[in-house]
Amino acid sequence: MTPAIDSHYAVLTAMLAPALLMAATGSLLLSANNRLARVVDRLRILLTLWNAGERGHAALENQILRHRRRSNFLLRACLFLYCALGSFIGTSLALAVDALSGQRIPLLPTVMGLLGMAFLLGAAFYLGREVLAAVRSFEAEIRDEMA
């Protein structure tokens, strides 16, 4: 192979690592969006009950509050995941631009990759908070039903 072809393969190979992170982030996004849809569906049911005359029922109002909190955690997690996805796409593009420019911007791909990982860390934090809130909400619903 000629050196030009070797360098093109090296660039494409380097671009695979961010592509794997993009795929993993996409899977997390799918999961988080599914969880968000389920929380929103449950919240709609609770609001229907509230509008049907259950106003003032403390347990129902607490459930609505808990589900709103969960939806906010999931929304933040999704925003972080979309930012991570954008950062990993940027990392892949920055690797190509760096290679085409003769390695004149070597820090850009690294910074973009680190930024993506920081966004993933933030998303993991909010996903963890949502799971904790879901378990606590479920335990509170069981307590309310048994009371």
Side-chain angles (χ1 to χ4, degrees), residues 26 36-37 48 64-65 77-78 80 83-85 87 100 105 107 111-112 120 133 140:
L36 181 58
T48 300
I64 290 170
L65 180 64
C78 286
F80 273 91
C83 289
L85 184 60
S87 295
L100 292 173
I105 50 170
L107 285 179
V111 170
M112 294 293 292
L120 274 181

Side-chain angles (χ1 to χ4, degrees), residues 31-134:
S31 173
N33 279 321
N34 285 337
R35 290 185 69 84
L36 181 58
R38 290 176 51 206
V39 170
V40 168
D41 288 343
R42 178 68 178 141
L43 194 50
R44 285 185 177 136
I45 291 168
L46 293 172
L47 289 173
T48 300
L49 291 172
W50 190 73
N51 285 328
E54 298 280 333
R55 292 180 188 199
H57 195 266
L60 180 62
E61 290 175 7
N62 285 335
Q63 283 185 39
I64 290 170
L65 180 64
R66 287 191 302 266
H67 281 77
R68 287 183 67 191
R69 188 175 304 123
R70 286 182 61 197
S71 69
N72 284 324
F73 289 149
L74 287 165
L75 176 62
R76 289 181 189 134
C78 286
L79 290 174
F80 273 91
L81 287 168
Y82 280 117
C83 289
L85 184 60
S87 295
F88 294 138
I89 292 169
T91 301
S92 189
L93 291 173
L95 284 165
V97 169
D98 184 44
L100 292 173
S101 70
Q103 282 77 35
R104 290 195 177 127
I105 50 170
L107 285 179
L108 183 61
T110 303
V111 170
M112 294 293 292
L114 289 173
L115 188 61
M117 294 306 271
F119 283 129
L120 274 181
L121 181 63
F125 171 75
Y126 282 113
L127 287 171
R129 289 196 65 189
E130 190 278 330
V131 168
L132 184 61

